[in-house]
Structures are given as structure tokens and as C-alpha cells.
Amino acid sequence: MEIGGLQKVTLLDFPSKVACIVFTTGCNFRCPYCQNGSLVLNTGEKELLDLEEIFAYLKKRKGILDGVCISGGEPLLQNNLKELLMQIKKMGFAIKLDTNGTSPNKLKELIDLQLVDYVAMDIKNNFAKYQETVGVKNPFLEAVKASIQLLEESSIPHEFRTTIVKELHTVDDILAIGKLFCPKTAYYLQNYEDSDNVIQKGLHGFSTEELLQLKQSLKTKMPNLIIRGL
């Protein structure tokens, strides 16, 4: 396991739970707007955390934390992820997994083993624009489709989400994404925020006024859409 970071407390990332976030390194996408560039590119400059350090923290926080979010990077690329989740489960914590949906077989295994309690899957864009959005020539579209179907057919609580960037996303793109899953499924838009850690500089998020206009444009066809932070 390669652990690149630990956020000790979050009240926002795991619905209805006080949690921490464990960040794994490495990803098979290169989304230019990614906020975790140092984790994704995995240049060796990022100092890794020892698993024992993670477990020691969780042991101290029993009765305070309800859950653990596993994020990245792309956690499902980690060879020993299953074993890590087993250890966390044994400690009594609920687990939320963040994924880009490119490893449906591994995702299914974790669900079947009841090692995850909630899944948040990123749908990066309209499939016609996936390649430019994720920054790789093979954007694993069939795998992404399989993961969407897997989550929709499972009983596990889940959400889909899209980080929106002015240079990459339009109202039509969001409508196209919404056709990939049941309208009743939780779907969140997250506005891009610039930072020193993004992979590509020069991108822009939407203004509050633009977000309100976007929500107004989508409300009839996507009544369950939520824009985080708005």
C-alpha cells in the first residue's frame, strides 16, 4: 500500500458520519483539474505514510470517528487495498470509497465482501469528451459503464459526481451524464477551484451566478441534482 496523506477529520465527505480521509497514491487518469496532483503523478517527492501510523491514529479515535474515506489518486489500483479495508473494518469503522470507476471487478469484489459501506464515483464528463477530460488516450469507457451499472444494480448507498470546469463542461454535457444512471440517484456537481496542486494551470471554475444559471437550466430534467457548496 502506498499512502500519500491523511486528513484527520472531515464532516463533509462521508454522509452523516464524522470521518477521516486516507489518500492513496497513483492514478490511471491525468485529469488536468485534479486537486491531488502530487498524489496522482506520484513523482517520488511525496513522502509516504506508514500503515502502522494510520492504524495507530484510528485506534486513538475509536468512539470519535464513525468512518474512514479511502480516496486518492485511484484507490482500486492498490494491490493490498482489500487487506487494508479488512483491517479498518475489524476496528469497527464504516468505509467510504472514492473511485473513478475504471476497475469494476475490484469494486464488485469489495462490495460482495461487504468491505465498503458507501461509494462515491466520479463521472468525469460526457463520454464523447472523456479523453480530453481525463488526459489519457484510453479513458476506459467500458469499465466506467460497467461500474455505473454495478452500483445502480447493487443495494450499496452511492453517489455520482462531476467536477465541473468552464473549459471542459457545458449544460449539454451534464444532461448527457445524467442519462447514464437513474434520475433518483444522488448526483453532485463540484465546482473547480484553482490551487497550487492542480495538474494543469489556467483552468477556471464557474462563478456563483453561473452556477445558479446552470442549476436553473437543469432543474426540470435533473431535479435531484445538487451543486455542492451552493
Side-chain angles (χ1 to χ4, degrees), residues 7-200:
Q7 181 176 327
K8 292 186 175 182
V9 179
T10 174
L11 303 177
L12 302 175
D13 291 85
F14 198 151
S16 303
K17 296 189 185 300
V18 179
C20 67
I21 309 176
V22 175
F23 295 94
T24 65
T25 65
C27 188
N28 48 358
F29 284 164
R30 294 294 182 269
C31 304
Y33 53 87
C34 180
Q35 295 287 338
N36 293 331
S38 60
L39 294 172
V40 168
L41 298 176
N42 197 15
T43 61
E45 298 176 1
K46 185 79 174 178
E47 184 176 350
L48 299 180
L49 299 181
D50 191 282
L51 276 179
E52 293 307 315
E53 182 179 344
I54 303 296
F55 293 138
Y57 175 75
L58 292 177
K59 185 176 181 181
K60 290 179 181 178
R61 293 301 182 270
K62 279 188 176 182
I64 300 173
L65 296 178
D66 305 309
V68 178
C69 303
I70 307 295
S71 191
E74 173 48 48
L76 290 174
L77 295 180
Q78 298 289 329
N79 291 328
N80 299 322
L81 180 63
K82 179 172 66 174
E83 288 73 20
L84 171 64
L85 300 191
M86 286 179 174
Q87 289 294 323
I88 294 173
K89 275 288 187 181
K90 286 180 181 178
M91 298 178 78
F93 295 101
I95 295 174
K96 171 181 174 269
L97 176 70
D98 293 342
T99 181
N100 62 23
T102 57
S103 300
N105 292 335
K106 290 184 179 179
L107 178 59
K108 184 178 186 304
E109 180 183 23
L110 298 182
I111 292 174
D112 289 345
L113 292 172
Q114 299 182 339
L115 291 177
V116 289
D117 301 281
Y118 191 94
V119 176
M121 178 179 159
D122 292 294
I123 302 179
K124 303 296 186 175
N125 208 336
N126 179 356
F127 279 177
K129 296 170 68 174
Y130 234 75
Q131 181 171 305
E132 65 177 294
T133 306
V134 302
V136 297
K137 291 183 178 179
N138 175 13
F140 307 98
L141 289 183
E142 292 305 315
V144 172
K145 292 177 185 176
S147 291
I148 293 172
Q149 182 177 356
L150 170 64
L151 290 173
E152 288 288 82
E153 293 177 351
S154 75
S155 60
I156 188 168
H158 61 278
E159 68 180 55
F160 298 113
R161 61 192 187 184
T162 302
T163 298
I164 52 173
V165 184
K166 288 185 74 170
E167 288 82 359
L168 294 171
H169 298 91
T170 66
V171 170
D172 287 341
D173 292 326
I174 304 304
L175 288 171
I177 294 170
K179 295 177 181 179
L180 299 172
F181 47 83
C182 174
K184 294 182 180 180
T185 300
Y187 180 49
Y188 295 88
L189 298 184
Q190 302 173 160
N191 195 26
Y192 168 77
E193 295 184 6
D194 197 19
S195 76
D196 292 336
N197 204 30
V198 296
I199 291 179
Q200 178 181 317

